[in-house]
Amino acid sequence: MPSGALPITVRGLVRRYGRVAALDGIDLDVARGEFLTLLGPSGSGKTTLLMILAGFIRPDAGSIRFGDVEMVRTPPHKRNLGVVFQSYALFPHMDVAANIAFPLVLRHVGATETRRRVQAALDLVQLGPLGSRRVDQLSGGQRQRVALARAIVFDPGILLMDEPLSALDKKLREQMQIELRHLHRRLGTTVIYVTHDQREALTLSDRIAVINHGRVQQIDSPQRLYEAPASHFVADFIGDSTFLNITVCDGVARWRDLAITTAKPMRDGRYLLVLRSEKLMLDKDSSALNRIDAEVIEVVYQGDSVRIDARLAGGEVVTLHELARAGRIASWPSPGDHVRLALDPADTILVPAP
């Protein structure tokens, strides 16, 4: 990990636009060298937070510290930040090398050292021989790499990224996610990454901060966030889920007349049972599983899996995915069939009812 990587501490950050609070008391701790993703729907405040960290927006209240230094009043060019924008913001009149060298020119780095750093950055993002190419001659993925190389060429302590992969097609986007993971491991820079794509956040991050209405709803590792959501919003935003109203009384969770077994005891109260589509199973004859009767509505072959929509006794529609293994076509149910759905207690997630 480079010595320049910095931790970030945010306390009580507020930003208002008239009566609307874009950020409403944000507290955040980012470890040195950590990859933290800000995840949330459009308008949640995640980009506003990133722009405040970059210094492009001034907060109405609160503190931001990079290491031990307060940064709220520090201008952007003195924050030692690398920033990758959604649009890449490359200069079309410059070639690739000149684009990457621009931050070094601003810092009055000598010509020989600039050439060395630019070539090292090009090699790092796998664009070694393309320094003399025009920007308009590059593919979308190559432009994304140039923007990234420009952001890291001066060895910033912190790297901010605002949905940098959103313009790429699905296959290239997934490839670049893995490349970003590998690049972060090599650089060790502290990264704050903004996205509304839950799968991208799960793929890239050490931790994820889920933001909604200007507040952090939950901050956790990808696995904890998915397997143990703290609220209905987090469970609904991350994953494909259906929710059933559950009552826990005398330590027993019930949905209608069915007792629902959970992996850990729950306090009495009202909850929502989170049914993840990939956790539900068909026809598992085991008394150790939670089992719910349903009627099949639709069966759709999707190549690697089969999507099955089914209606429960209360009218709720749930979805499950079965792997499409060869030789099992005849075993798939048909619309109108009555089936039994199974859910492992270890996969039985309850969140407080809103």
Side-chain angles (χ1 to χ4, degrees):
M1 182 184 299
S3 59
L6 293 171
I8 301 172
T9 305
V10 175
R11 290 291 179 269
L13 210 61
V14 175
R15 174 63 184 181
R16 294 186 178 276
Y17 295 97
R19 296 183 178 180
V20 177
L23 298 179
D24 191 13
I26 294 284
D27 293 332
L28 203 62
D29 292 286
V30 186
R32 179 173 175 261
E34 183 177 19
F35 195 120
L36 178 80
T37 294
L38 306 178
L39 175 67
S42 297
S44 61
K46 57 188 186 298
T47 297
T48 299
L49 175 54
L50 193 81
M51 292 299 101
I52 288 176
L53 292 173
F56 301 138
I57 299 174
R58 179 71 64 85
D60 295 313
S63 168
I64 302 168
R65 301 181 73 85
F66 294 169
D68 297 326
V69 181
E70 176 60 53
M71 304 300 293
V72 165
R73 297 186 180 278
T74 303
H77 66 280
K78 293 185 177 180
R79 296 194 179 197
N80 193 34
L81 293 169
V83 183
V84 181
F85 297 100
Q86 185 175 357
S87 63
Y88 309 149
L90 300 176
F91 301 114
H93 63 287
M94 296 180 179
D95 63 19
V96 167
N99 265 279
I100 297 172
F102 188 73
L104 301 176
V105 173
L106 291 180
R107 289 164 173 79
H108 306 292
V109 177
T112 300
E113 178 64 10
T114 293
R115 284 193 295 271
R116 185 193 70 79
R117 291 197 193 185
V118 167
Q119 189 58 53
L122 281 168
D123 292 341
L124 195 61
V125 298
Q126 302 176 38
L127 292 178
L130 300 186
S132 61
R133 185 165 297 185
R134 289 165 49 93
V135 169
D136 60 7
Q137 296 174 326
L138 301 178
S139 68
Q142 289 171 333
R143 292 184 188 189
Q144 194 275 338
R145 287 185 174 94
V146 173
L148 183 58
R150 184 177 63 183
I152 64 176
V153 71
F154 58 97
D155 191 24
I158 296 168
L159 181 61
L160 307 179
M161 308 184 77
D162 186 14
E163 303 203 49
L165 308 182
S166 61
L168 305 181
D169 61 60
K170 181 178 182 293
K171 184 175 181 180
L172 182 56
R173 182 176 184 141
E174 292 175 351
Q175 176 188 336
M176 289 304 303
Q177 289 168 8
I178 300 303
E179 290 191 15
L180 279 176
R181 279 177 59 94
H182 294 165
L183 184 62
H184 176 250
R185 287 174 187 158
R186 291 198 295 272
L187 292 175
T189 304
T190 305
V191 177
I192 306 291
Y193 189 99
V194 164
T195 185
H196 64 273
D197 185 320
Q198 54 176 279
R199 185 172 293 276
E200 184 168 279
L202 293 169
T203 299
L204 287 169
S205 314
D206 295 321
R207 288 190 303 155
I208 301 170
V210 179
I211 298 178
N212 194 38
H213 299 309
R215 296 183 177 181
V216 175
Q217 305 295 312
Q218 185 175 352
I219 180 167
D220 227 321
S221 68
Q223 183 175 355
R224 284 283 303 168
L225 203 68
Y226 192 84
E227 302 290 349
S231 67
H232 171 259
F233 174 80
V234 174
D236 192 30
F237 192 74
I238 303 220
D240 180 11
S241 304
T242 304
F243 299 89
L244 302 183
N245 289 302
I246 294 287
T247 300
V248 177
C249 184
D250 295 330
V252 179
R254 289 190 178 277
W255 177 73
R256 295 182 168 268
D257 59 345
L258 294 177
I260 303 295
T261 304
T262 59
K264 62 180 182 179
M266 303 294 296
R267 294 181 178 179
D268 288 2
R270 293 175 55 249
Y271 295 86
L272 295 175
L273 172 62
V274 183
L275 297 180
R276 304 281 198 199
S277 62
E278 77 282 1
K279 303 293 188 183
L280 287 169
M281 301 172 283
L282 278 176
D283 300 326
K284 299 294 182 180
D285 188 16
S286 170
S287 59
L289 302 177
N290 292 308
R291 300 160 79 186
I292 302 173
D293 291 328
E295 180 182 354
V296 175
I297 302 171
E298 190 70 71
V299 179
V300 181
Y301 175 73
Q302 297 182 322
D304 60 343
S305 65
V306 179
R307 172 183 169 135
I308 300 171
D309 295 333
R311 182 177 288 109
L312 307 184
E316 303 90 344
V317 175
V318 300
T319 298
L320 62 149
H321 288 90
E322 289 274 295
L323 289 177
R325 295 188 179 94
R328 292 189 57 184
I329 296 178
S331 67
W332 296 339
S334 301
D337 286 354
H338 290 272
V339 296
R340 179 160 287 177
L341 309 181
L343 181 67
D344 194 308
D347 296 324
T348 303
I349 302 168
L350 299 184
V351 296

